[in-house]
């Protein structure tokens, strides 16, 4: 989700910067005063930046950074490029070869991210299983030690006490 908002943020930033550039070049702020669109772009940029940071931090808090960051960056690129392609109608100037290469690039990116997530998820499950096996082994040893201590106390006539 953070990557999607990041891509939208790029789109709002590009639109805002184009309006600023036009105002500087033309020496007129008519673009800013004649339409509410520039304010929508600036507010959209601020909103998407804050939302992007929220979801990125949430993802980093819950998941491994080695998965979150590449997925985030890939989605920022994919949504930023696709958003610009559609919003600025750049597809009108693309040749068939450009369209195929764009589609191929997006597909390679998404397949790569999918493989990364699956690989990291598989490693995470193996690590969880290993930790669980170790905890079970430690618990079994603790029970064995407790049983041995209890037998020794009983043999000596001491009462069992359990401290929690």
């Amino acid at each position: 989700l953070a990557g999607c908002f990041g891509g939208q943020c790029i789109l709002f930033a590009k639109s805002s910067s184009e309006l600023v550039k036009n105002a500087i070049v033309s020496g007129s702020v008519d673009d800013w005063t004649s339409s509410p669109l520039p304010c929508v772009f600036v507010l959209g940029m601020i909103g998407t930046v804050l939302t992007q940071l929220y979801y990125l931090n949430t993802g980093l808090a819950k998941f491994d950074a080695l998965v979150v960051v590449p997925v985030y960056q890939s989605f920022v690129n994919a949504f930023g490029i696709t958003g610009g392609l559609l919003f600025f109608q750049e597809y009108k100037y693309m040749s068939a070869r450009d369209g195929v290469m764009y589609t191929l690039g997006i597909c390679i990116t998404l397949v790569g991210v999918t493989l990364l997530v699956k690989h990291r998820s598989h490693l995470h499950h193996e690590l969880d299983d290993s930790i669980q096996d170790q905890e079970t082994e430690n618990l079994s040893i603790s029970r064995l030690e407790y049983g041995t201590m209890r037998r020794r106390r009983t043999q000596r006539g001491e009462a069992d006490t359990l401290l929690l």
Side-chain angles (χ1 to χ4, degrees), residues 146 153 160-164:
Y146 175 73
R153 285 186 180 162
D160 284 339
T161 56
L162 182 61
L163 299 175
L164 297 176

Side-chain angles (χ1 to χ4, degrees), residues 6-145:
Q8 294 304 310
C9 180
I10 291 171
L11 189 62
F12 284 126
K14 168 77 171 159
S15 300
S16 300
S17 67
E18 286 294 319
L19 288 170
V20 169
K21 182 182 85 173
N22 288 343
I24 291 171
V25 169
S26 70
S28 170
V29 291
D30 289 340
D31 288 344
W32 289 85
T33 57
S34 64
S35 171
L37 208 51
C39 292
V40 169
F41 289 151
V42 171
L43 292 175
M45 183 176 61
I46 292 168
T48 54
V49 163
L50 295 176
T51 307
Q52 165 190 352
L53 287 174
Y54 169 77
Y55 283 115
L56 180 60
N57 286 329
T58 301
L60 288 170
K62 292 182 178 183
F63 304 103
D64 187 11
L66 292 174
V67 173
V68 172
V69 174
V71 170
Y72 162 75
Q73 193 61 48
S74 297
F75 276 83
V76 166
N77 289 337
F79 277 85
I81 292 167
T82 303
L85 187 72
L86 298 175
F87 184 77
F88 296 109
Q89 299 179 357
E90 293 174 356
Y91 58 87
K92 291 180 179 179
Y93 307 106
M94 291 174 62
S95 67
R97 180 179 173 266
D98 294 338
V100 168
M101 295 306 286
Y102 165 78
T103 305
L104 182 64
I106 293 293
C107 288
I108 289 171
T109 300
L110 294 178
V111 167
V113 167
T114 302
L115 291 174
L116 173 71
V117 169
K118 283 186 177 185
H119 178 71
R120 295 296 297 180
S121 176
H122 178 69
L123 289 176
H124 185 69
H125 288 302
E126 284 181 2
L127 182 61
D128 283 349
D129 292 344
S130 173
I131 289 171
Q132 189 175 14
D133 291 345
Q134 184 66 33
E135 287 174 351
T136 303
E137 185 179 314
N138 288 344
L139 183 59
S140 297
I141 291 171
S142 296
R143 285 182 182 164
L144 180 63
E145 289 173 353

